[in-house]
Amino acid sequence: MSSPMRIAFLGDVVGQPGKRAAIAAAKSLRAAWGESGGVIVANGENIRNGSGITPELLGHLVQGGIDAVTLGDHALRELKIVPALERAGEPICRPANMPYRAPGKRSVRIDRGTGRRGVTIFTVLGRTFMPTPGSDPFECCERMLAERTHADDIVIVEAHMEATSEKIALARFLDGRVAAVVGTHTHVPTADARILKGGTAFMTDLGMCGPYDSIIGRSTEAVLRHLTTGLPTQFDVAEGGTLACGAVIEVSEDTGLARSIERYEMSA
Ligand SMILES: [Fe+2]
Ligand SMILES: [Fe+2]
């Protein structure tokens, strides 16, 4: 039996504090993993002052040790990212079930060389309580799996969804067919990291990399002002209590399915 493949998936990176935390986490994970390496993925949809991503910020994440960057409902808030999203070599993708003419790649593939499984990562948006819902995420996952070019790849699916039930439903639907289904978007980590019956690792929400002295990453004062007065308010990214949150999944090179999943949290 060959040694398992480690994959760390970090939740939504929020603003400068989130970027700092995600890069610190990547550095610490790499130091712990040593030569055997692994793959580090992060959702970058909130890195630009809370929404969107620029090519410069993508560069910072990649130089900081993040191998692949995914996005969510804020994918196209900053259009400067579009050329990078469309370029084959850039390790960034937009959600796969956005409108079919949306610009950008629908998945990222990490080639790990001869004799080792590649890793394919893609994100689907939910349809419940989402301001910009995607098309049917179940059908989209079926299509992504059927159309993939490398059948042996380890597949990681990110469920960028608001409703816990929708995330669990997608994980059950894909159980035994992909290595992991991990939820993002709520910015609040859940305590349910586990392996489902068919061998798929699952966690309802990875939480965010960002300031937890906040309301899901934004200034507490600003959000409360808006909610208690109804006045339009700018939600600046908060500071303080910064953590990098996510999960570390070990995947069997023999089966392409999960051997373990653990919630990850690091103070930054
Ligand atoms: Fe987010
Ligand atoms: Fe989101």
Side-chain angles (χ1 to χ4, degrees), residues 12 43 45-46 71-74 125 130 160-161 184-187:
D12 305 37
N43 181 305
E45 74 155 0
N46 302 110
L71 296 168
D73 50 310
H74 294 295
L125 296 173
M130 295 293 285
H160 195 81
M161 302 176 169
T184 53
H185 179 68
T186 74
H187 296 196

Side-chain angles (χ1 to χ4, degrees), residues 66-249:
I66 312 286
D67 299 301
V69 175
T70 60
L71 296 168
D73 50 310
H74 294 295
L76 301 178
R77 281 297 189 93
E78 170 53 75
L79 293 175
K80 285 187 201 144
I81 198 62
V82 168
L85 267 176
E86 301 220 292
R87 223 174 288 131
E90 299 274 3
I92 184 168
C93 60
R94 48 88 167 169
N97 62 338
M98 285 177 73
Y100 82 104
R101 283 183 174 169
K105 302 183 293 296
R106 296 184 298 156
S107 64
V108 171
R109 177 168 195 272
I110 294 170
D111 188 340
R112 297 170 56 244
T114 359
R116 305 180 81 189
R117 288 175 190 258
V119 181
T120 293
I121 302 131
F122 66 89
T123 305
V124 284
L125 296 173
R127 290 181 293 184
T128 309
F129 305 136
M130 295 293 285
T132 48
S135 65
D136 180 346
F138 300 88
E139 188 269 342
C140 177
C141 287
E142 290 280 24
R143 194 159 30 86
M144 292 296 286
L145 292 177
E147 292 174 4
R148 74 191 141 146
T149 44
H150 298 80
D152 287 341
D153 271 13
I154 290 165
V155 180
I156 309 290
V157 179
E158 176 187 14
H160 195 81
M161 302 176 169
E162 183 74 40
T164 51
S165 54
E166 194 174 13
K167 293 175 184 179
I168 296 167
L170 187 74
R172 295 281 183 210
F173 181 72
L174 295 174
D175 186 17
R177 296 196 279 166
V178 303
V181 176
V182 289
T184 53
H185 179 68
T186 74
H187 296 196
V188 178
T190 57
D192 62 340
R194 63 197 153 134
I195 297 182
L196 303 179
K197 279 185 187 139
T200 296
F202 174 63
M203 182 169 162
T204 300
D205 206 294
L206 299 174
M208 66 173 169
C209 296
Y212 279 76
D213 290 350
S214 69
I215 296 174
I216 63 169
R218 306 304 182 109
S219 153
T220 299
E221 294 71 29
V223 175
L224 285 181
R225 191 181 314 124
H226 174 66
L227 292 178
T228 57
T229 64
L231 291 167
T233 311
Q234 187 178 315
F235 295 158
D236 291 330
V237 171
E239 281 176 35
T242 299
L243 301 173
C245 288
V248 176
I249 303 143

